[in-house]
Amino acid sequence: MGRLQWARIVERAASIVTRYQASGGCTLRQVYYRLVSEGAIPHTPPAYRRLSAQLAQARRRQYFPDLIDPLREIHAPPTWPDATTFLRAALDWFALDRTAGQKTAVYMACEKDTLRAQLTG
């Protein structure tokens, strides 16, 4: 694939990522499979690596939206500088159990951590 074709692919990838931002974002792999399903790139390891390199370059030049990167995200419990700040923050956490008194409840589970960002976004 030539430089011009990859420029179009990066542009299409940016529009895919932008659409996902309202629902929490997406990963490189999601963009890759969308492009494969559209026939824009082949379903091969070299195409995946090339897409990764092209999008990384676009992000470094700051003209590509952020992707979810669950492998590099550090999940740490929240901390507060003092008890007063904690109590202010705790007010936002209060919620009644919406399933109290119901015979059944609906739960959603997902295998991939990537989906957590989309489900909670």
Side-chain angles (χ1 to χ4, degrees):
M1 284 187 237
R3 184 174 282 165
L4 182 58
Q5 190 173 4
W6 273 105
R8 288 185 186 132
I9 290 168
V10 169
E11 186 177 307
R12 176 65 186 125
S15 71
I16 290 169
V17 174
T18 300
R19 284 177 135 160
Y20 276 102
Q21 284 179 330
S23 60
C26 68
T27 64
L28 170 64
R29 186 166 299 278
Q30 287 173 292
V31 175
Y32 169 70
Y33 282 119
R34 285 285 305 271
L35 293 169
V36 167
S37 70
E38 293 173 6
I41 59 175
H43 185 244
T44 63
Y48 182 82
R49 288 190 297 272
R50 181 76 188 264
L51 177 67
S52 176
Q54 293 289 322
L55 299 189
Q57 185 178 48
R59 287 192 310 272
R60 282 192 293 274
R61 292 182 179 164
Q62 299 181 344
Y63 67 85
F64 194 87
D66 289 336
L67 294 167
I68 296 173
D69 189 356
L71 299 177
R72 295 188 183 153
E73 185 176 341
I74 298 172
H75 299 281
T79 60
W80 300 269
D82 54 57
T84 303
T85 305
F86 166 74
L87 291 173
R88 277 194 221 118
L91 293 174
D92 293 333
W93 295 353
F94 177 78
L96 295 174
D97 180 2
R98 294 183 182 172
T99 61
Q102 295 180 358
K103 291 182 180 180
T104 58
V106 177
Y107 293 92
M108 183 178 293
C110 57
E111 178 184 350
K112 302 286 184 184
D113 187 48
T114 300
L115 297 176
R116 179 182 46 80
Q118 291 179 330
L119 294 171
T120 60

